[in-house]
Amino acid sequence: MNSLSPYLKNDNFRIRIADEFNDYLKEQEKRFHSDDCLYVDLHCHDENSDIPDELWGRILRLPETWLDTNKLYKILRQNNMDVVTVTNHNNARSCWTLIADGHDILVGSEFTCYFPEYELYIHVLAYGFSPDEEVRLNHHRQNIYDFVRYAARHNIPLILPHPLYFYTKNENIDFSLFEKFAVLFERFEVLNGQRDLWQSVLTLNWARSLTPQKILAYAKKHNLSPTEFGVDPNRPKILTGGSDDHTGIFAGKCYSKLYIENLAERSKTEKLSDLALEAIRNGNIAPVGRVGENQKLTIALLDYFSQVVGKVSDPGLFRILLHRGTARDKIGCFILSNLLLEMQKHKKTMKFFEFVHHALNGKKINRITKWKIPKDYRFCIKYLEEIAISKNCSTDVFIKTVNDAVLNLFTDLNLLLIERIKKAAEKNKHLRIENFSTAELTRKFEIPSQMTALFFGTDQNNKNLSNIKIDQILDTLSFPLLISATLAGASLAATRVLYQNRGLLNDFAEKIGKNRHQKRALHLSDTWGDQNGVSSSLLGKLREIQRLDLPIDFLICHDDAAEEMNLRVVRPLTTVTLEKFGGQPIRIPNLMEIARIFYEGGYDRIICSTEGPMALIAMFIKQKFNVPSYFFMHTDWINFIKNTTDLNIHERDRVRRLLRAFYNEFDGIFVLNTDHRKWLAGHEMMLDKNKIHLAAHHSEPRNYSIDPIKKADIVPGANQNTPVLFIACRLSREKGVFELPEIMERARKKIPDLKIVIAGSGPAKKELEKLMSDAIFTGWQSKEQLAALYLGLDLFIFPSRFDTFGNVILEANTHGMPVISYNCKGPKDIIIDGKNGFLVDTKKQISNRIIKFFSDDILRKSMKNDSFIRASEYQAEPILRRFATDLGLEPAPVMHPHKSVAE
């Protein structure tokens, strides 16, 4: 699956920074002659990194790796490392063990040091120390200043690895930290095999910008002495490379070339580890390798998780409850430990993870085992064999193969999962979602607090999920579900780790004035090309975004739509048609495919317009990439449920609370009317008013090539003087269409020849046709057909109390047609009573305004002119530029003339 679209901008952020960093690496490759260089991976780990820095790892008693020391040594030597070091966290046990076994080893360790004024932990690589010095370094690491001073006094060279990645709960880290880094450290790791390009390029350009004048100015500003920390301000910063490998998969793939003059002669009489230490001290280092972005870390985490499943043991409930950490951390660890322990009961799942670990380390599955694999799962073996074979190829080929295989594996597992769900639904037709009404779905949407009821079911006639036996469902879906969740989880965790400090990275780029991440939003929607107002408004937005060249791309899931500029398309894994909702299709997209598109497209924020599967994907992407997320609210679900179901207030409150939790997951909510803004900020929803943005749909320019329809051509027996009402909408109960018969009956008492044309389709059409046999039903109309109707008929009637905006109001006004509507949210922000339409409170008032309108020729003429004027106040450019501003994509534009939007 190729996620790179021909419609991506040529100045794509990721392409630019990749080119810049590759140019730097090529430059470094030529810096020293290889005959005078030692190759050493200055940053790697094995099983003695047994106390992780990550809180969850400590709670669950999981080491960072189970990689055997001798195996790591062997891998590094096989990958042509001349000198070996093992930089475990806060200890050099592996180095001392290898030395005791007779190997020439560069002693090293990665110490976790505390920065007191920032409440910050940073990692520092140290080399060439003795056992006694290791003890002192561990003592001094509680204060970074003491640690670096001690190292300087004892000529222990230090490297600051991944300077833009560290552990802290302090959200107010500022650039002063990096000013102190410049004074404290002489060497910086610019190439880290487990970090991403953006961090690497930022580190590179920052370190290169550190002139002697800057370093001395920082030293003076913070009252620090560079020489006290072994830093020569007049010496350019030294840049290094290392794999930061924890599993052995990438050990020795990112490394440093250490230049030693007259190496061939000196190596005859001196240990290579001593020569390497000398080169590090002298700064004769050139980084070599490539940055794997999140792909490398995903592979490493997948391998790690494959081992965790088999090695984890019950951490104990008391340990979880009494350990440091927030309630959220403890709940997360409790759930994760239970999932892991549950997986150990599933033989197929355990065997699969064993195969994954072997494949990532280049080991293929033997033939006898392959024959035993059930037919349903043989595609898994195919992808794992591709991975195993690629391990013997170049690093680039291996990384691409693994990531393509993971995406394909995730896709096929989801297809298998969907197939099994469909089979289960066929056996249990009462559980099929398309068979439920809104009220039934709402009543079912509850989980019993009694765990036995949840997992073993109950004989009671419960309305919630307690009559669904979770254990039986999990048993049927366990393998594809667990493996899919693991693949998605590894991808999420890997990228989240890289971007946990995204805000800092953005600020850092601004500060150094280089490598600013492009500002570009990906806008997800479940509906596109469907017969509804949301779909129509989104298509109109796309056209204007294309015209204005705004940095927003839509992404849709559709069976046959084609990509174009600013529109990305993925194909659905499956589609569910909701017959009880007017045949609305629910298309299920591929989560991992969309995540890859987001990453490779260089997007930095996500928007969603619908509460379907795309909303869940938007929340996943927010967590994965640590980006701002926004939701564009088109539907008033509470009002919809109130007007279309018999749910009581307590059942409706369940939906309200769910929506409140849902909306709170987003950093910003766009609403289309002032009532919704007040409701979301009020006591029922309690959202921060600063994250609620008032938006609007725009009016589309009139197509002057379209002529008005002649009334006689649409209404039998009519002439141009016949009074004709018009309505265009989805024909469903919540749209108020069943109020039309009473409204027409009352109005006809004064206007006997009054006619009505009804455009649209929907679940209420047949019933409405029976009630209004003399009405003209046109069915769903194209945009051009609607324009002719707006131009040729007289007055638009809009009896819905449900719509959050009312696109048809603008459409009618654009063509000079006034609108009668209830004085409710949406319409009341657009209609100025007596100008471009009428605002009323009752059906009787609608009838009275119809009579008034057709009884006054002057009024009709003035309202037609006022309709043109009102529609012109909803121009696309100011509305969309305001939208871009609220997304943080553009500076504030000139205020929009429509008062509600400009507020």
Side-chain angles (χ1 to χ4, degrees), residues 60-78:
L60 297 175
R61 294 190 297 193
L62 294 173
E64 289 200 348
T65 177
W66 289 272
L67 181 61
D68 178 76
T69 300
N70 288 313
K71 184 176 180 181
L72 174 61
Y73 178 85
K74 183 179 179 181
I75 291 170
L76 289 168
R77 296 293 290 162
Q78 285 175 342

Side-chain angles (χ1 to χ4, degrees), residues 206-262:
W206 169 70
R208 283 178 153 182
S209 74
L210 294 174
T211 62
Q213 294 79 11
K214 277 188 180 180
I215 296 171
L216 291 172
Y218 294 155
K220 183 178 181 181
K221 176 180 177 180
H222 299 291
N223 195 27
L224 298 171
S225 171
T227 54
E228 190 179 355
F229 303 108
V231 172
D232 180 0
N234 295 306
R235 183 182 186 183
K237 294 299 182 183
I238 300 159
L239 305 179
T240 71
S243 69
D244 199 3
D245 179 85
H246 288 66
T247 63
I249 294 175
F250 295 110
K253 299 296 185 179
C254 286
Y255 56 95
S256 292
K257 287 170 64 174
L258 307 182
Y259 172 73
I260 297 96
E261 189 176 357
N262 198 21

Side-chain angles (χ1 to χ4, degrees), residues 777-797:
F777 288 85
T778 68
W780 191 263
Q781 299 286 284
S782 68
K783 187 177 291 187
E784 292 74 20
Q785 290 170 321
L786 283 173
L789 290 165
Y790 287 130
L791 290 168
L793 306 183
D794 301 305
L795 179 65
F796 194 91
I797 182 169

Side-chain angles (χ1 to χ4, degrees), residues 498-536:
L498 293 179
Y499 291 114
Q500 64 180 2
N501 297 327
R502 180 181 281 270
L504 176 67
L505 298 179
N506 283 324
D507 293 343
F508 191 85
E510 287 293 328
K511 193 70 178 179
I512 68 171
K514 297 195 76 172
N515 310 120
R516 297 177 181 88
H517 199 294
Q518 69 178 10
K519 292 183 178 182
R520 193 167 192 90
L522 189 63
H523 193 150
L524 309 182
S525 175
D526 289 291
T527 182
W528 194 270
D530 301 319
Q531 295 181 355
N532 59 60
V534 176
S535 183
S536 299

Side-chain angles (χ1 to χ4, degrees), residues 210-436:
L210 294 174
T211 62
Q213 294 79 11
K214 277 188 180 180
I215 296 171
L216 291 172
Y218 294 155
K220 183 178 181 181
K221 176 180 177 180
H222 299 291
N223 195 27
L224 298 171
S225 171
T227 54
E228 190 179 355
F229 303 108
V231 172
D232 180 0
N234 295 306
R235 183 182 186 183
K237 294 299 182 183
I238 300 159
L239 305 179
T240 71
S243 69
D244 199 3
D245 179 85
H246 288 66
T247 63
I249 294 175
F250 295 110
K253 299 296 185 179
C254 286
Y255 56 95
S256 292
K257 287 170 64 174
L258 307 182
Y259 172 73
I260 297 96
E261 189 176 357
N262 198 21
L263 173 62
E265 287 301 315
R266 293 187 64 186
S267 62
K268 294 176 183 177
T269 57
E270 299 176 66
K271 291 195 297 184
L272 295 184
S273 60
D274 290 339
L275 295 175
L277 186 61
E278 176 188 310
I280 294 170
R281 285 173 173 150
N282 293 337
N284 296 324
I285 307 174
V288 181
R290 73 181 296 279
V291 177
E293 304 252 21
N294 66 336
Q295 297 99 325
K296 272 190 178 180
L297 195 53
T298 298
I299 293 169
L301 284 179
L302 187 57
D303 185 52
Y304 178 73
F305 192 84
S306 298
Q307 298 174 74
V308 167
V309 172
K311 298 178 183 292
V312 70
S313 58
D314 189 346
L317 183 59
F318 284 148
R319 176 183 178 82
I320 293 174
L321 292 175
L322 299 176
H323 204 285
R324 283 189 306 168
T326 65
R328 192 169 186 171
D329 289 324
K330 294 175 183 181
I331 292 171
C333 287
F334 175 76
I335 294 171
L336 180 59
S337 64
N338 275 270
L339 285 173
L340 292 171
L341 293 170
E342 188 63 30
M343 283 186 188
Q344 292 180 349
K345 299 176 184 178
H346 295 266
K347 292 182 179 179
K348 291 176 186 174
T349 304
M350 292 296 294
K351 205 67 182 173
F352 174 80
F353 284 122
E354 180 185 325
F355 292 159
V356 170
H357 176 60
H358 289 160
L360 291 172
N361 286 275
K363 184 177 177 181
K364 295 173 67 175
I365 300 165
N366 65 59
R367 289 185 179 181
I368 295 176
T369 303
K370 280 195 286 186
W371 290 339
K372 294 179 181 179
I373 302 296
K375 185 178 180 181
D376 282 354
Y377 303 135
R378 286 179 186 168
F379 66 86
C380 300
I381 303 306
K382 170 178 173 285
Y383 295 129
L384 293 178
E385 287 199 327
E386 289 176 1
I387 291 172
I389 293 169
S390 70
K391 186 66 173 70
N392 297 318
C393 302
S394 69
T395 303
D396 286 349
V397 169
F398 174 65
I399 291 171
K400 184 179 186 308
T401 301
V402 174
N403 281 276
D404 286 347
V406 166
L407 177 57
N408 293 330
L409 183 59
F410 181 84
T411 302
D412 288 351
L413 283 167
N414 275 270
L415 291 172
L416 176 61
L417 188 62
I418 290 166
E419 181 184 337
R420 290 190 173 181
I421 291 172
K422 286 180 177 178
K423 286 181 180 178
E426 284 299 319
K427 292 180 181 178
N428 303 276
K429 293 189 177 182
H430 63 288
L431 297 180
R432 294 174 66 177
I433 190 170
E434 58 263 43
N435 291 334
F436 289 113

Side-chain angles (χ1 to χ4, degrees), residues 677-745:
R677 183 172 63 177
K678 291 174 185 176
W679 178 66
L680 288 174
H683 72 280
E684 287 190 329
M685 299 301 282
M686 297 185 294
L687 269 66
D688 180 356
K689 65 180 181 181
N690 293 318
K691 66 185 261 185
I692 306 169
H693 307 286
L694 189 60
H697 294 315
H698 64 271
S699 60
E700 296 193 23
R702 177 184 163 185
N703 184 347
Y704 285 93
S705 66
I706 296 174
D707 295 323
I709 194 167
K710 293 180 180 179
K711 290 180 181 178
D713 291 342
I714 188 72
V715 180
N719 57 52
Q720 288 306 102
N721 294 320
T722 302
V724 183
L725 300 175
F726 181 47
I727 178 171
C729 67
R730 183 172 181 268
L731 302 184
S732 55
R733 185 169 297 276
E734 73 275 4
K735 293 289 187 177
V737 292
F738 289 110
E739 297 184 9
L740 293 174
E742 183 180 338
I743 292 168
M744 289 294 292
E745 181 181 1

Side-chain angles (χ1 to χ4, degrees), residues 531-640:
Q531 295 181 355
N532 59 60
V534 176
S535 183
S536 299
S537 66
L538 292 177
L539 182 59
K541 272 192 176 70
L542 172 63
R543 296 293 170 244
E544 291 302 321
I545 285 169
Q546 292 170 334
R547 184 179 68 84
L548 298 170
D549 194 25
L550 293 177
I552 302 170
D553 293 336
F554 281 93
L555 186 145
I556 62 170
C557 184
H558 205 276
D559 293 285
D560 48 27
E563 288 199 344
E564 55 184 283
M565 195 63 71
N566 299 96
L567 179 65
R568 306 298 309 275
V569 182
V570 297
R571 302 304 178 202
L573 296 172
T574 190
T575 301
V576 178
T577 303
L578 304 179
E579 297 298 341
K580 290 194 177 184
F581 293 86
Q584 177 64 41
I586 301 296
R587 304 175 183 96
I588 309 299
N590 188 327
L591 169 72
M592 299 283 274
E593 183 183 4
I594 294 175
R596 180 182 280 198
I597 288 171
F598 186 91
Y599 180 76
E600 294 183 351
Y603 300 101
D604 73 332
R605 60 207 71 203
I606 191 83
I607 317 163
C608 188
S609 284
T610 44
E611 291 90 346
M614 285 295 192
L616 300 177
I617 290 176
M619 290 190 283
F620 177 85
I621 285 176
K622 173 191 173 168
Q623 294 300 324
K624 178 178 170 70
F625 296 98
N626 193 21
V627 295
S629 62
Y630 302 86
F631 188 80
F632 204 119
M633 185 177 172
H634 285 96
T635 305
D636 184 346
W637 289 107
I638 300 300
N639 201 25
F640 173 80

